[in-house]
């Protein structure tokens, strides 16, 4: 990692102020204070592994507070922060939860209102796009400020991997760094998912799992290899268990995947912006391995061939445009 900031050599009156400016710039708009005005020391190292920024914070005891007003004005709602505690202990209040972390624990935070009381110690902070994690695990309110303890094997594995990845990151090629970072993110997701499974009742957990599975389907509709076994593996479940969860809700996994692919295809066939795409290209883009298979399934679902459906949608659009005087 590269040294980025240190309070070494700063006058004690300036140390907290500059640390606050640093936290505001890199993470969240926060107020910083030390207990009883004690002298503050801090150091920050940074790196980027693939597209994933990682920060190593080391500091003496400090309180970091993000107000609701500051979060609304200056927070970044698109980012989440996975905090891996290396030494010391933290207590954080956010999203109606109080999370306590010890060395080896992992907790996910965002830029909303919070209070973080951190003892002297250090942490790795991994910045992640919110949409990526929510596509895997459902709404972030389910896992924000939820501590995945080091007693979980998945957390131990995730923490060990991330620490080692940071150590060797400067020796990785860009392609290797991107792949390794993706694995690290998946391990964080697996750790949080295991913790979430302990947090909620089984029936609710089933709903969360199905929603995660549906979100994964939406994000990978264009992948022709997406099928029930691959989806179950992505969810960390056996195929039989995922099938049971879908059956409890009156659905079959394969039927759901094909329905969503067909719905995407119908939407693109109706979209004038996709008029330049051939039927074959459109089919492949929606995850169908062959145009013939696509045409057969589409007609079974919509009663028209893809070509006739596109033609009918175009005529409807032109009719509406003419009615409102928009036709050329």
């Amino acid at each position: 990692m590269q040294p980025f900031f240190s309070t070494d050599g700063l006058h004690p009156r300036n140390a907290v102020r500059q640390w606050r400016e640093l936290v505001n710039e890199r993470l969240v708009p926060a107020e910083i204070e030390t207990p009883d005005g004690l002298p503050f020391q801090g150091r920050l190292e940074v790196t980027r592994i693939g597209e994933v920024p990682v920060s190593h914070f080391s500091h003496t005891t400090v309180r970091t507070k993000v107000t609701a007003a500051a979060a609304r004005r200056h927070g970044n709602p698109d980012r989440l922060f996975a905090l891996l505690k290396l030494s010391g202990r933290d207590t954080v209040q956010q999203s109606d939860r109080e999370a306590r972390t010890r060395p080896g624990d992992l907790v996910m935070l965002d830029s909303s209102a919070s209070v973080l009381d951190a003892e002297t110690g250090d942490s790795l902070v991994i910045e992640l796009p919110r949409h990526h994690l929510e596509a895997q695990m459902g709404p972030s309110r389910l896992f924000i400020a939820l501590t995945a303890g080091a007693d979980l094997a998945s957390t131990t594995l995730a923490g060990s991997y991330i620490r080692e990845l940071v150590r060797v990151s400067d020796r990785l090629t860009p392609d290797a760094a991107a792949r390794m970072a993706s694995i690290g993110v998946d391990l964080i997701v697996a750790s949080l998912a295991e913790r979430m499974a302990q947090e909620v009742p089984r029936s609710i957990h089933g709903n969360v799992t199905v929603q995660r599975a549906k979100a994964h389907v939406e994000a990978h509709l264009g992948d022709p290899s997406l099928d029930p076994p691959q989806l179950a593996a992505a969810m960390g479940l056996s195929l039989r268990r995922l099938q049971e969860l879908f059956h409890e809700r009156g659905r079959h996994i394969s039927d759901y995947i094909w329905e969503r692919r067909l719905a995407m295809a119908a939407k693109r066939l109706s979209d004038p912006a996709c008029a330049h795409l051939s039927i074959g290209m459109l089919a492949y883009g929606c995850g169908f391995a062959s145009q013939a298979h696509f045409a057969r399934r589409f007609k079974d679902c919509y009663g028209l061939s893809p070509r006739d459906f596109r033609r009918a949608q175009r005529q409807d659009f032109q009719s509406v445009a003419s009615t409102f005087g928009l036709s050329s």
Side-chain angles (χ1 to χ4, degrees), residues 84 139 150 242 289:
L84 177 63
L242 189 61

Side-chain angles (χ1 to χ4, degrees), residues 50-61:
E51 294 301 315
V52 179
V54 181
S55 303
H56 180 195
F57 288 89
S58 301
H59 52 75
T60 53
T61 300

Side-chain angles (χ1 to χ4, degrees), residues 10-82:
L10 291 179
H11 191 284
R13 286 198 303 267
N14 297 327
V16 172
R17 177 179 58 80
Q18 293 199 23
W19 187 260
R20 180 179 65 248
E21 293 172 355
L22 175 73
V23 171
N24 288 342
E25 176 186 346
R26 294 196 61 85
L27 296 178
V28 292
E31 300 171 1
I32 306 289
E33 59 184 36
T34 58
D36 301 322
L38 292 175
F40 174 79
Q41 291 182 314
R43 185 176 70 255
L44 171 64
E45 299 172 301
V46 299
T47 189
R48 178 179 287 269
I49 307 174
E51 294 301 315
V52 179
V54 181
S55 303
H56 180 195
F57 288 89
S58 301
H59 52 75
T60 53
T61 300
V62 66
R63 164 172 279 208
T64 303
K65 182 178 180 180
V66 180
T67 67
R72 284 195 300 271
R73 288 196 304 268
H74 306 294
N76 187 345
D78 296 329
R79 306 296 292 176
L80 297 175
F81 306 98

Side-chain angles (χ1 to χ4, degrees), residues 243-260:
Q243 286 173 331
E244 288 174 351
L245 292 175
F246 269 77
H247 289 167
E248 288 171 3
R249 291 152 183 82
R251 307 301 298 270
H252 293 276
I253 302 174
S254 58
D255 289 346
Y256 179 79
I257 293 173
W258 290 120
E259 287 171 11
R260 297 308 304 150

Side-chain angles (χ1 to χ4, degrees), residues 17-240:
R17 177 179 58 80
Q18 293 199 23
W19 187 260
R20 180 179 65 248
E21 293 172 355
L22 175 73
V23 171
N24 288 342
E25 176 186 346
R26 294 196 61 85
L27 296 178
V28 292
E31 300 171 1
I32 306 289
E33 59 184 36
T34 58
D36 301 322
L38 292 175
F40 174 79
Q41 291 182 314
R43 185 176 70 255
L44 171 64
E45 299 172 301
V46 299
T47 189
R48 178 179 287 269
I49 307 174
E51 294 301 315
V52 179
V54 181
S55 303
H56 180 195
F57 288 89
S58 301
H59 52 75
T60 53
T61 300
V62 66
R63 164 172 279 208
T64 303
K65 182 178 180 180
V66 180
T67 67
R72 284 195 300 271
R73 288 196 304 268
H74 306 294
N76 187 345
D78 296 329
R79 306 296 292 176
L80 297 175
F81 306 98
L83 188 153
L84 177 63
K85 197 63 186 168
L86 302 180
S87 65
R89 295 171 183 258
D90 293 348
T91 301
V92 61
Q93 299 172 43
Q94 187 174 62
S95 188
D96 296 324
R97 284 196 181 104
E98 180 176 273
R100 298 177 182 272
T101 61
R102 300 174 298 175
D105 291 352
L106 179 72
V107 63
M108 188 67 64
L109 306 173
D110 63 13
S111 60
S112 63
S114 62
V115 177
L116 171 62
D117 289 301
E119 296 178 359
T120 297
D122 58 337
S123 308
L124 287 177
V125 177
I126 303 100
E127 296 183 45
L128 301 168
R130 182 186 293 269
H131 69 83
H132 180 86
L133 268 73
E134 290 190 333
Q136 300 291 321
M137 298 189 295
S140 59
R141 59 180 170 77
L142 298 172
F143 53 84
I144 289 297
L146 188 66
T147 301
D151 57 314
L152 294 177
S154 56
T155 304
T156 299
L157 179 60
S160 299
Y161 179 88
I162 291 167
R163 288 193 296 270
E164 187 65 15
L165 179 59
V166 167
R167 190 181 69 81
V168 304
S169 61
D170 60 344
R171 305 207 300 267
L172 297 173
T173 66
D175 286 346
R179 289 193 295 271
M180 297 301 102
S182 178
I183 293 171
V185 174
D186 287 342
L187 289 172
I188 291 173
V189 169
S191 177
L192 291 172
E194 183 176 359
R195 179 64 180 88
M196 288 167 63
Q198 297 178 341
E199 180 74 5
V200 297
R202 184 175 180 84
S203 60
I204 298 177
H205 177 235
N207 289 334
V208 171
T209 302
V210 170
Q211 291 305 313
R212 285 178 49 221
K214 289 181 176 180
H216 185 87
V217 169
E218 293 299 317
H220 297 83
L221 284 174
D223 180 359
S225 68
L226 177 65
D227 59 9
Q230 187 198 79
L231 180 60
M235 295 301 101
L237 298 174
S238 69
L239 176 57
R240 179 177 179 179

